[in-house]
């Protein structure tokens, strides 16, 4: 495992309920301090990859049956999700982790639970600098729009002071304007805080623009990889993932 890889998957195989083979020799890496994009059609196995990395597979009776996952130089293939969160590996998933009947501030506080003694006030202020919209909303998280909930989910992850954030379709359900805003923030988090980010997206266009490096996944494994720029110019990628032209 190269030292500048914060994450490396090597020939990972995932099976659900002892029968369905969903990942079949999945290998990829994410570089420290970079944005990496993982793209692919519906059902290619992108979400399963994130669950394998974060350790949440067992919640759906899935398991890694072959291969290895290294995070920050350590084999974490069978490490518990809690342990990984404590070590700075954080998954942001649509609808996950936000407590609907708590306020925004209370949700952000929860995000810092792995860091007893942290200057939570200061850190919440930092989140609000990135997401000024959240500062203005006073009510319960459940009343936030889809875009605002997405922002809160990212803000909550920031409170854990992660080294690597895994994001499952941050653009899902957002208006084009909000997608731009959220991607702008993702880039800032990467540039200003040095956060490593692994982004899973259907919106290949935005993802490849933001990403330093990208992978294309089909049928449970990587079929193509390259810099964000190279992939945007690849004819197959254009045809199948960037809507023709
Ligand atoms: P999408 O963008 O539609 O979420 P994806 O690339 O994220 O697609 P996955 O959700 O990882 O794909 O699913 C990959 C394959 O694994 C699909 O064929 C799906 O039906 C199957 N699968 C996913 N979760 C389970 C599960 N819990 N049990 C059985 N099969 C599953």
């Amino acid at each position: 495992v190269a030292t500048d890889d914060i994450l490396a998957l090597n020939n990972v195989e995932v099976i659900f309920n002892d029968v369905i083979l969903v990942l079949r020799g999945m290998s990829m890496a994410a570089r420290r301090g970079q944005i990496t994009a993982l793209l692919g059609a519906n059902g290619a196995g992108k979400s399963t990859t994130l669950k394998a990395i974060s350790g949440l597979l067992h919640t759906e009776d899935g398991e890694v049956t072959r291969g290895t996952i290294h995070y920050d130089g350590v084999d974490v293939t069978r490490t518990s999700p809690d342990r990984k969160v404590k070590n700075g590996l954080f998954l942001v998933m649509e609808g996950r982790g936000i407590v609907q009947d708590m306020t925004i501030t209370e949700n952000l506080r929860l995000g810092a639970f792995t860091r007893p003694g942290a200057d939570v006030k200061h850190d919440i202020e930092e989140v609000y600098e990135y997401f000024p919209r959240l500062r203005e909303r006073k009510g319960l998280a459940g009343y936030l729009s889809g875009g605002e909930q997405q922002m809160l989910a990212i803000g909550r992850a920031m409170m854990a002071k992660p080294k690597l954030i895994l994001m499952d379709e941050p653009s899902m359900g957002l208006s084009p304007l909000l997608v731009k805003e959220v991607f702008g923030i993702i880039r800032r988090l990467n540039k200003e805080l040095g956060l490593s980010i692994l982004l899973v997206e259907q919106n290949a266009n935005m993802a490849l623009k933001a990403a330093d490096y990208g992978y294309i996944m089909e049928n449970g494994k990587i079929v193509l990889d390259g810099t964000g720029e190279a992939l945007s110019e690849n004819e197959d990628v254009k045809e199948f993932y960037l809507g023709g032209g």
Side-chain angles (χ1 to χ4, degrees):
V1 181
T3 49
D4 54 350
D5 289 340
I6 187 146
L7 178 77
L9 275 71
N10 208 330
N11 264 306
V12 173
E13 183 181 279
V14 164
I15 287 179
F16 282 113
N17 298 311
D18 297 328
V19 278
I20 313 161
L21 194 59
V22 174
L23 297 192
R24 347 169 155 240
M26 175 72 182
S27 296
M28 66 171 295
R31 293 261 162 86
R32 213 176 282 278
Q34 291 198 351
I35 299 181
T36 306
L38 175 59
L39 310 174
N42 274 340
K46 305 181 298 297
S47 303
T48 302
T49 302
L50 293 189
K51 283 176 204 153
I53 298 168
S54 62
L56 288 171
L57 269 179
H58 63 92
T59 60
E60 295 177 28
D61 284 319
E63 67 171 319
V64 175
T65 43
R66 247 175 230 267
T68 56
I69 301 171
H70 281 80
Y71 164 68
D72 213 5
V74 177
D75 186 338
V76 295
T77 315
R78 280 169 188 89
T79 304
S80 77
D82 292 1
R83 183 92 239 138
K84 288 179 192 173
V85 169
K86 279 199 186 112
N87 289 327
L89 173 64
F90 213 99
L91 172 66
V92 175
M93 222 173 182
E94 166 102 353
R96 230 181 228 280
I98 293 181
V99 185
Q100 306 281 324
D101 57 3
M102 281 187 173
T103 65
I104 293 171
T105 316
E106 285 165 347
N107 268 283
L108 291 176
R109 263 176 207 293
L110 274 186
F113 78 99
T114 53
R115 302 164 49 233
D119 186 352
V120 172
K121 240 186 171 155
H122 166 274
D123 296 342
I124 289 179
E125 205 37 53
E126 184 176 71
V127 170
Y128 286 152
E129 270 164 37
Y130 281 88
F131 301 101
R133 241 172 228 271
L134 292 182
R135 192 203 298 275
E136 296 155 19
R137 301 284 182 280
K138 292 287 176 237
L140 299 179
Y143 295 119
L144 296 173
S145 71
E148 289 161 351
Q149 295 220 10
Q150 188 65 265
M151 292 178 185
L152 179 54
I154 298 171
R156 188 178 172 278
M158 285 170 69
M159 293 297 293
K161 296 281 175 202
K163 290 186 205 160
L164 172 65
I165 295 194
L166 315 172
M167 292 194 188
D168 199 4
E169 310 223 10
S171 78
M172 185 145 73
L174 304 190
S175 69
L177 206 67
L178 265 179
V179 171
K180 262 194 139 164
E181 191 176 329
V182 167
F183 268 89
I185 291 163
I186 291 172
R187 283 159 108 147
R188 280 186 59 205
L189 291 175
N190 168 251
K191 294 270 162 319
E192 298 171 7
L193 303 181
L195 254 177
S196 310
I197 297 169
L198 173 60
L199 206 64
V200 159
E201 263 297 341
Q202 297 270 353
N203 191 333
N205 224 330
M206 285 306 283
L208 287 180
K209 261 190 213 151
D212 298 289
Y213 204 83
Y215 292 87
I216 311 275
M217 181 168 197
E218 275 172 24
N219 276 318
K221 59 174 181 244
I222 299 300
V223 291
L224 190 65
D225 64 291
T227 62
E229 204 179 344
L231 288 179
S232 323
E233 271 150 28
N234 179 291
E235 291 305 323
D236 289 337
V237 174
K238 278 191 197 166
E239 185 177 344
F240 294 111
Y241 298 100
L242 298 175

